[in-house]
Amino acid sequence: MRLRPRLQEGWSTLFLLWAMILISAMAIARADLIFGLHVIPMVGTAALLAGTLLAKSQFSPNRAHLFSLIYGLFVVFVMVGTVDTFAAMPWRDRILDAENGIIMRQVIWLQKLIDGGTSRDGLIFVFQTSMIYWILGYTAAWYTFRKPRVWWAVVPTGLVLLSVVYYYAGPRPLQMYLALYMLLALLFVARTFLVEQEKGWRSSSVRYEKRIWFNFIRAGFVAALLALIFAWGLPPLSASATVGDALNGARGPWREFQDNWTRMFSALRSYGTTVSDPYQDTLVLGGPRTVGNTAVMDIIVPQELPYVYWQAKVHHTYEDGQWKSIDEPYTEYLPEDGAIDLPLTADRELITQTVITYLPNSSFIYGAPDIVNVDRPINVYASPDNRGKQLVSQVRAKYVLQLGDEYEVISRLSLADASSLRSATTNYPEWVTETYLQLPDNLTPETLDLAEELTAPFDNPFDKAISIRDYLRDNIAYNDQIQATPQGIDPVHYTLFVSQEAYCTYYASAMALMLRSQGVPSRLVSGYAQGSFDEETSSYRVQASNAHTWVEVYFPAYGWIQFEPTASIPAWDRPEQVGGSGGGDAFSQFTAQSFLDREELLQERLEPEIDNSVDEELLAELQGEDQQPVVEPSFWDTFPVWQAVGATVVLLVAVALSLFANEMNKRVEGDVDKSFNRLRNWSAWLGLSARETNTPYEQAEILVTAVPEGKEPIRTLTRQFVIKQFSAAKEFDLGFNARLQWKKLRPILIRQTLAKKLQNFRSRFSRQQDA
């Protein structure tokens, strides 16, 4: 006879537990956050097997836990040591090497955690995640086979999986792993519950069906489906400033944890996700627009600024009624990397802005032009100029920003006066003329003639830009409900000479193209106008209605300067010279404190062979600012967390109610006396009346008359009740099983009762109608 190993809780219990650990570990491996995560499922499997053996051993709990720790360190070091970042290093060096060993790298990581540094060592994430899954696998086995605590085996692993699915924003459908885990967890709960019941039944010598657990699976599937349908219909949190304020106040500890997480695991791969940003790579001159007044962000500043824009994205070339952005590579910047290496520009002031976003998913980093530093990991989309400086088109957060997130931006705001810009040279770099003088082939002669007429009296780009700007503001009426330009007609021509109505995109396009036709480099930039300033909080409230597109003109030595051709937006005029009255109170109060030396800058631009000492001064100045790095992660995105939590809660309640109802049914229907009382109660629910003097058989026949389909189980249950009550032997008929009889009878009685209730309702409704 062949002996088979036995497990008191059943091999199916171990299999379900292993499947849960494996599903959770595979989700992390599939997320592909860093190389080497393929070891996580193997570590989890080894932990579960070790935990099962230790739980079934005779070791005391403390000794078993000690052995688990020793085994875990050994397995994790061996598994993580296979990651090929170690190349051909011997095994001993992979663990103990003073520079690249796992132990030393972990020590360095802890030092950075304490000192507030940023770690880029991806191997630490693999190592620590492996340790976590060893603990999860071991404790799941321990609380299943040694000290049964079903939720302690299910919940921790489930929470880890839920956090991965919630933050992941990559292309792989990790939600299916969570759904499968919930199903396995349900089956595991049902199975472990039956294991405990079976122990009690065996000790009490109660006969039961060996495959009774299949009924639990079937009921669980139905309960899970209903719970998921209900939870999926729960409304999501709306994106509002009020909700954002509430989250800011309530998520302090969690926000701090997120900050530290992103700082210490900055090497993890980030993915894009569906975002609520209004600006894409193509900007079309289309039909009417409706933007609403939803709060987009609050921007806290040291003091009220001269008129300012919150820049998002640059658009470079124009063709067939649409602007396109050049597809540029991005460079990742961390807070500790310092300032973005921008070209030097004169007469700019460093300002710090604290941005609180109210968009549910956002990728853009908004700030006054030009953004030079951000206190979180960012991706800077830029191409190099002839000196290798970064020509930035957009700045995006490495991790998608969520509702209520906060970040700090340092910008170099231009305070150049009109006199300086008017006297600027027109010796444009090659990278400017190649892109920002581009014109479409279908620009009409009328447009070219108008541009030449407006700019002819002036000999410098600044006055030419002001002339075209003022013409558009005076002659084109603002209307954001205009219809799209008819097919075959250039939108700029149609705006200037036919409709003479426009909103910001049309205004800016007309100005930029007319300037380009006169040899003045210009471009379009999208983002938001300044919004409304609140003196009490020293902040700007930016709403969706502030979404805007404007024109920037390039001036050598001064960089890109903003101009406002849209009639509905204030046209802030620069003063004739710094400290003059032309700029109004806002400008005069915001005088520059750190202008670069103009002559030195011009000399540096005209003589490429000299050193870049000004660069070093600027970087030293930026890095000397009093900055407090705050890194706000939003790891991955779009899983509906509240729906998932709601589904889990409802599912657990449904399972608990199902198990409780099943247990009560077993107790009632397994007892002949209680079973017959249930028949009497059902007769009352059906409106049947039985006298006190009626015998049990007479009472049964009254019920059979109303429910003829159930006559066999009704008569059988009644007969067994009579035998128990009145026979001398008090023994049931051979093969009698009360629960099997009720299994046949219950659906019949339910259908009959529902039909009776419906009939009564119709009768009452008819009487009310007649009355």
Side-chain angles (χ1 to χ4, degrees), residues 486-545:
Q487 186 71 25
I489 301 178
D490 177 57
V492 171
H493 175 91
Y494 188 79
T495 298
L496 292 172
F497 304 106
V498 182
S499 70
Q500 295 189 324
E501 292 183 328
Y503 52 84
C504 61
T505 308
Y506 287 85
Y507 281 103
S509 298
M511 179 175 176
L513 293 178
M514 284 197 289
L515 284 174
R516 288 186 177 189
S517 71
Q518 301 305 305
V520 180
S522 55
R523 67 185 188 183
L524 258 63
V525 181
S526 294
Y528 290 91
Q530 69 176 9
S532 56
F533 184 73
D534 182 355
E535 293 185 1
E536 183 176 349
T537 60
S538 189
S539 66
Y540 289 94
R541 167 58 60 89
V542 181
Q543 298 175 300
S545 57

Side-chain angles (χ1 to χ4, degrees), residues 678-689 698-718 741-742 744-757 759:
R678 174 167 286 189
L679 286 177
R680 288 174 174 171
N681 293 335
W682 223 299
S683 295
W685 295 339
L686 292 172
L688 306 176
S689 58
E698 291 172 340
Q699 296 177 30
E701 289 305 311
I702 293 174
L703 183 58
V704 167
T705 302
V707 190
E709 301 91 340
K711 63 180 179 179
E712 179 182 349
I714 293 173
R715 288 172 177 172
T716 301
L717 290 169
T718 304
Q741 298 299 321
W742 272 105
K744 301 175 185 176
L745 180 60
R746 190 186 304 108
I748 299 174
L749 292 176
I750 291 174
R751 287 197 303 269
Q752 189 67 26
T753 302
L754 292 176
K756 182 70 174 180
K757 296 297 182 184
Q759 182 181 359

Side-chain angles (χ1 to χ4, degrees), residues 53-71:
L53 294 174
L54 289 171
K56 288 297 184 180
S57 70
Q58 299 299 318
F59 295 129
S60 65
N62 289 338
R63 182 168 296 182
H65 299 338
L66 177 61
F67 284 152
S68 173
L69 176 61
I70 296 172
Y71 298 158

Side-chain angles (χ1 to χ4, degrees), residues 653-671:
V653 171
V655 171
L657 291 176
S658 176
L659 295 176
F660 178 79
N662 187 73
E663 183 66 16
M664 292 300 296
N665 272 332
K666 288 190 295 183
R667 294 181 181 180
V668 172
E669 296 170 357
D671 186 299

Side-chain angles (χ1 to χ4, degrees), residues 196-262:
E196 294 300 315
Q197 295 300 309
E198 288 173 345
K199 290 179 181 178
W201 293 336
R202 285 194 294 267
S203 63
S204 302
S205 300
V206 176
R207 296 174 57 188
Y208 64 94
E209 297 180 22
K210 296 295 184 182
R211 299 192 56 82
I212 193 174
W213 69 282
F214 188 78
N215 294 329
F216 280 75
I217 297 177
R218 183 174 57 186
F221 271 113
V222 175
L225 180 61
L226 294 176
L228 290 173
I229 292 175
F230 170 78
W232 209 259
L234 293 176
L237 289 176
S238 60
S240 68
T242 302
V243 174
D245 292 339
L247 289 177
N248 279 334
R251 297 195 308 176
W254 176 242
R255 188 179 299 279
E256 183 178 354
F257 171 78
Q258 289 179 307
D259 292 343
N260 292 328
W261 174 277
T262 307

Side-chain angles (χ1 to χ4, degrees), residues 325-357:
S325 299
I326 297 175
D327 185 15
E328 295 176 318
Y330 68 83
T331 303
E332 179 182 322
Y333 276 79
L334 298 177
E336 64 184 24
D337 292 336
I340 302 172
D341 192 16
L342 301 177
L344 293 178
T345 48
D347 292 359
R348 289 185 181 258
E349 172 73 10
L350 292 176
I351 62 168
T352 300
Q353 309 126 82
T354 301
V355 182
I356 304 173
T357 180

Side-chain angles (χ1 to χ4, degrees), residues 62-139:
N62 289 338
R63 182 168 296 182
H65 299 338
L66 177 61
F67 284 152
S68 173
L69 176 61
I70 296 172
Y71 298 158
L73 290 174
F74 174 77
V75 170
V76 170
F77 276 122
V78 169
M79 291 293 183
V80 176
T82 63
V83 178
D84 63 5
T85 57
F86 294 103
M89 291 176 61
W91 277 100
R92 183 178 181 278
D93 291 343
R94 297 185 185 192
I95 299 173
L96 302 175
D97 185 78
E99 293 183 3
N100 295 315
I102 297 175
I103 294 178
M104 182 53 64
R105 291 163 76 167
Q106 179 65 48
V107 170
I108 294 173
W109 184 89
L110 290 173
Q111 290 176 342
K112 290 184 177 181
L113 175 64
I114 296 172
D115 298 338
T118 301
S119 173
R120 303 186 188 185
D121 190 348
L123 182 74
I124 296 301
F125 181 79
V126 179
F127 176 78
Q128 294 183 359
T129 306
S130 298
M131 289 301 302
I132 289 173
Y133 267 84
W134 179 271
I135 295 173
L136 290 175
Y138 171 73
T139 55

